[in-house]
Structure formats: structure tokens, C-alpha cells
Amino acid sequence: LPVPRLLLDAPRDHFLAIEDLGRETLESRLPRLEPSEIQRIYRHLLNLSLRLHLEGLPAARKCRLPLMPGFDDKLYAWEHAYLIDHVLRGRLKAPKNQIAAIAAELESVSRLLAKSPQALIHRDLQSSNVLFRGERPVLIDYQGMRRGPAAYDLASLLCDPYADLPAPLQQRLLRHYAQRHPQGPDIAAAFPAAAIQRLCQALGAYAVLTKKPGMAYFARHVPAAARQLLRALRAHPLPALEAVARQLARG
């Protein structure tokens, strides 16, 4: 899979050097791209994801690669807490009964994802983590790679608030992946729940990051994340969460 090349590895000296691919990301390149180019790049990224999802876990086992702990109840709950603590309690000052209702809805999401097809996933597969070697995409920020729902990577990529892909393109790209994976229909069925899980985590992250010095600009991504969340909630309705998403979408 295309990642920055390792130029020097000196573990005894706690030193390594990797290829510098510059600062241009898919996120920064998107406004200049024609729709056909955008679709081509995303199809290529989905093909890379497909390879990771189909071959990743067997390869990791074969070379006894230590992995981050996989998605489990604890990790799902940690992502839910990001939204609950930093958005519902911190930003919106939501009442306890509303928070309890949303927490129950999110637990149902994690149960569904736990039953969906699992794979080795990048976990943070978004446009800001795609660089380029010439015209070829290269993946970075894969240190969170672990076993988890294959649909989570698709949600990270296709529902990415930085890119804010239109719904028709999002669905075409989802079909592109699903038609090529042996468990494609099951992964596509889990996609709305994965989008909800991922976007709730993203909204929580934006709330945390905007409080840090010089990072207030993350607030501009909140409406796009909320709109993407509302799109996912049309396919997988959660009434209490929808009310909050509508509030956030207004800015």
C-alpha cells in the first residue's frame, strides 16, 4: 500500500527518516479538481481500502505485527463520550434526559457495528490524511490502524466533513466498493451506522480542538459534519441525535 517511503531506520538510536511528500493533501487539492478527477481519486482510495480490508489481518497475523486494541465496547464508548462530554454537555448544555436518550441510541449503533464485517482498518481515512506522490495518492496517519468494522473506513472517507462529498457521489462510491467486496452488501448495510459513529467522534474532536490555541478554525467544519450526520440519520433514524444534529447544522 502506498505510504511515505522509509529512508532510514535506526531503532537503537531512536531515529528514523521518512520521505517528505510536501504539504498538499487531498483536502487542499479538492477545490481545484474536476468532478471526474475527484471520482477517479476516490475510487483509487477505495481500491486501496479494499486491499487493506481483505488482506490486512492475514498479513498482520503472518508477520506477528502488534496492533492497536481493536474496536470493542470500550472504544465505541470512548468515541461516544467525545460527543457527549464536549458537544452535548460542554457546548450545548443539553439536559440529562436528552443526553441519556442519545447515549442509548449510540449504544445501539455500536452493537450493530460489532456484528458487521470486520477488517484491519486505517481508522482515520480522511482527505487530510491523503498526500500525493505526483498524481498518486499516498496514505498517512495510519498509527491508529486496528481491527474494526470495514464500514468505519468507508464512513471516514466518504462522509469526511473536510470534503463534504455530495450524496449522489457518495452513493456511487459506496457501490463501487460494495460490488468488489465478498461481503459488500453487509458492509453497505452497516454504512449509515458507521457514518453516525464516525461523525459523532469527529464532532467531539472539533469541540476539543477549537478550544486549543490557534485551532479555532476547526469550528467551521461543524456544520458540514452535522449535515453529513443528518444524511446518515435518514437511513438509520435516531430521533434524539437528529435533534442535536439539526441544531449543529445551523452553526
Side-chain angles (χ1 to χ4, degrees):
L1 292 171
V3 297
R5 295 183 177 114
L6 182 61
L7 306 177
L8 175 67
D9 186 17
R12 289 185 180 179
D13 298 319
H14 308 287
F15 181 82
L16 62 80
I18 60 173
E19 179 184 14
D20 183 353
L21 290 166
R23 295 187 176 187
E24 188 173 46
T25 65
L26 176 57
E27 178 190 2
S28 63
R29 188 177 282 198
L30 278 172
R32 307 194 306 273
L33 296 177
E34 295 295 327
S36 60
E37 293 177 290
I38 294 173
Q39 182 163 280
R40 177 184 60 79
I41 291 170
Y42 272 89
R43 284 188 173 189
H44 184 74
L45 291 169
L46 288 169
N47 292 340
L48 296 178
S49 302
L50 188 67
R51 185 177 182 194
L52 176 65
H53 295 165
L54 291 175
E55 302 179 30
L57 282 178
R61 293 189 189 108
K62 185 176 180 180
C63 66
R64 298 180 180 178
L65 179 69
L67 296 174
M68 296 287 286
F71 269 82
D72 57 13
D73 291 345
K74 185 177 180 181
L75 183 53
Y76 285 121
W78 181 86
E79 290 195 346
H80 299 165
Y82 233 43
L83 176 82
I84 291 168
D85 293 341
H86 303 291
V87 177
L88 301 183
R89 291 196 181 103
R91 174 173 173 169
L92 301 179
K93 313 300 181 188
K96 289 183 179 180
N97 62 333
Q98 185 181 33
I99 291 173
I102 291 173
E105 290 178 342
L106 292 177
E107 284 180 14
S108 72
V109 167
S110 58
R111 287 195 297 271
L112 189 156
L113 291 176
K115 296 177 182 177
S116 71
Q118 306 291 294
L120 186 63
I121 65 172
H122 180 290
R123 194 196 176 189
D124 205 16
L125 189 61
Q126 58 191 25
S127 59
S128 60
N129 289 334
V130 178
L131 301 179
F132 291 88
R133 186 182 292 122
E135 296 301 312
R136 306 288 287 182
V138 178
L139 305 178
I140 63 168
D141 200 18
Y142 45 82
Q143 66 265 31
M145 187 172 61
R146 67 192 71 209
R147 185 180 186 275
Y152 191 98
D153 267 355
L154 302 186
S156 299
L157 182 65
L158 301 183
C159 303
D160 172 17
Y162 302 151
D164 202 14
L165 298 179
L169 176 58
Q170 194 179 76
Q171 290 302 309
R172 284 199 302 273
L173 293 170
L174 179 60
R175 286 195 298 271
H176 174 86
Y177 176 98
Q179 289 167 357
R180 288 159 178 77
H181 194 291
Q183 295 175 284
D186 292 334
I187 294 172
F191 178 78
I196 292 166
Q197 179 75 27
R198 173 64 182 181
L199 290 162
C200 285
Q201 186 275 340
L203 285 165
Y206 298 155
V208 171
L209 291 168
T210 53
K211 294 178 181 178
K212 296 185 177 183
M215 302 182 80
Y217 61 89
F218 274 99
R220 70 172 181 257
H221 299 300
V222 169
R227 289 194 302 271
Q228 290 283 345
L229 180 55
L230 287 169
R231 186 183 297 171
L233 288 167
R234 284 195 287 272
H236 188 88
L238 300 172
L241 183 60
E242 181 179 346
V244 167
R246 290 192 182 282
Q247 187 175 353
L248 293 172
R250 292 194 292 267

